[in-house]
Amino acid sequence: MIRIATIGTSVITETFADAVLAAGADGSIAITAVTSRDAAKARAFADRIGVATATDDLDALLHSGAVDAVYIASPNGAHAAQARTAIAAGAHVFVEKPATTASAEWDELVAAARDAGVVVFEGVRNVYDPGFAAIREVLPELGTLRRAAFSYCQRSARYDLVLAGETPAIFDPALGGGAVWDLGVYPISAMVALFGEPDAVAAVSPRIATGVEGAGTALLAYPGPAGDGMIGEVTYSKITRSDAPSEIQGELGTLEIDHIAQPRHLVLTTIDGARREIPIDAAANNMRYEVSRFVELVRGADPAADQARTAGVLRVVEAIRADGRMV
């Protein structure tokens, strides 16, 4: 059994705990410790999820021999340092998206993990979801792909704090905040997982009072070898809401995806107007699938493709931020 400790006590950590219960029902993985900089918060969270060990001393826990891995769900800007500490102690690392806020940091972590004989893995729930596998299966029916438009726009309740003059962590540039890191990574990860890294990126991002982007749209260029290129578009927002579906358009048909972060209903419409609905039977908490993948990697599966996708996503985000015009 993989004994994993959590770092952080946020809502996403509680969702992760639920996912571990489901994925680890076979005894493959379990949360055995909770850590937080605040000992009282660690104890309260551990009691809530039914874990005995709670501590504010991560370093001591890592060197105690009591855990095999850590799940990192701290503010984005802290991920790299905490992952580095865990790897140095010989622990496997499951880091919440975004893995780091710089591709060079991720490359360093991958190299360090390889040298230490452990796994470093970024949890991006949509690319491990059964709905994503269904999307892959349908793609050949679309013919030559010409356009993909993936969107995730969900207004954060914390934006009201920004409007009141505060700087919550999710919108704090010093902590790696901003819409592209929080929500944009879902459509970008899907784009990179399905089509690879683009050749070029152009982006525009509205800036909010804290200095980070509150939303954004990026165009990704996928030139084909014989005039059969494709345009990718990713749209994300934490200051507005949209229920618009995502789409993949090919010369023979279009695939509509209800939610790019958790595909549960696909609609294929061919050029002759024929329509086929494809429901997805999957767990409501789709973090369980990334947990299962982590177990496979710790047991010996090759993490190279997973790690390469993460690196590609981080490079796309860097290109967005380098090219993106703040408005």
Side-chain angles (χ1 to χ4, degrees):
M1 183 183 72
I2 301 166
R3 302 166 300 169
I4 191 166
T6 62
I7 301 175
T9 57
S10 64
V11 172
I12 193 64
T13 311
E14 195 157 355
T15 304
F16 175 78
D18 178 70
V20 169
L21 279 176
D26 59 356
S28 59
I29 187 171
I31 296 173
T32 57
V34 168
T35 73
S36 171
R37 289 176 299 176
D38 184 320
K41 284 186 177 180
R43 181 69 268 161
F45 187 81
D47 290 344
R48 191 156 70 248
I49 65 172
V51 171
T53 300
T55 180
D56 60 354
D57 192 339
L58 174 63
D59 193 63
L61 178 67
L62 288 171
H63 289 90
S64 69
V67 297
D68 309 299
V70 296
Y71 167 69
I72 300 174
S74 52
N76 300 336
H79 288 182
Q82 291 173 336
R84 199 175 295 116
T85 297
I87 290 168
H92 302 285
V93 174
F94 183 131
V95 58
E96 187 56 51
K97 59 80 189 166
T100 64
T101 55
S103 62
E105 286 182 328
W106 176 249
D107 293 341
E108 291 170 3
L109 292 177
V110 169
R114 183 172 56 247
D115 291 345
V118 297
V119 170
V120 60
F121 168 80
E122 179 194 40
V124 182
R125 57 193 175 95
N126 58 337
V127 299
Y128 298 101
D129 190 289
F132 202 77
I135 292 170
R136 286 187 185 276
E137 291 177 7
V138 174
L139 285 185
E141 299 184 52
L142 303 182
T144 300
L145 302 179
R146 291 300 192 179
R147 180 175 179 268
F150 297 162
S151 173
Y152 193 175
C153 301
Q154 179 176 295
R155 190 184 189 280
S156 171
R158 293 188 181 95
Y159 184 50
D160 291 330
L161 298 177
V162 175
L163 295 176
E166 300 180 35
T167 304
I170 203 65
F171 291 117
D172 188 342
L175 297 177
V180 67
W181 288 128
D182 193 53
L183 297 185
V185 290
Y186 288 109
I188 295 169
S189 292
M191 199 74 69
V192 172
L194 289 171
F195 312 119
E197 284 187 64
D199 281 20
V201 175
V204 177
S205 304
R207 189 194 305 270
I208 61 173
T210 63
V212 301
E213 77 287 341
T217 294
L219 294 179
L220 315 181
Y222 290 94
D228 53 354
M230 186 191 83
I231 299 169
E233 178 185 332
V234 292
T235 301
Y236 44 88
S237 176
K238 286 188 68 64
I239 59 177
T240 61
R241 174 188 172 86
S242 173
D243 294 315
S246 294
E247 278 192 341
I248 303 173
Q249 300 173 7
E251 293 184 356
L252 300 181
T254 295
L255 181 67
E256 182 180 290
I257 305 161
D258 63 335
H259 200 313
I260 200 61
Q262 186 161 319
R264 289 296 172 266
H265 189 252
L266 312 179
V267 178
L268 172 64
T269 305
T270 57
I271 54 174
D272 61 3
R275 178 183 169 95
R276 184 168 93 242
E277 298 191 11
I278 307 168
I280 308 299
D281 183 16
N285 180 356
N286 65 344
M287 287 184 74
R288 68 179 296 176
Y289 304 111
E290 61 186 42
V291 172
S292 294
R293 177 58 179 166
F294 181 66
V295 171
E296 292 174 355
L297 296 177
V298 171
R299 287 178 170 177
D302 188 354
D306 306 78
Q307 293 167 342
R309 187 204 64 251
T310 294
V313 171
L314 293 176
R315 286 191 290 266
V316 170
V317 173
E318 287 172 339
I320 287 172
R321 290 198 147 181
D323 180 81
R325 183 169 59 91
M326 286 285 196
V327 295

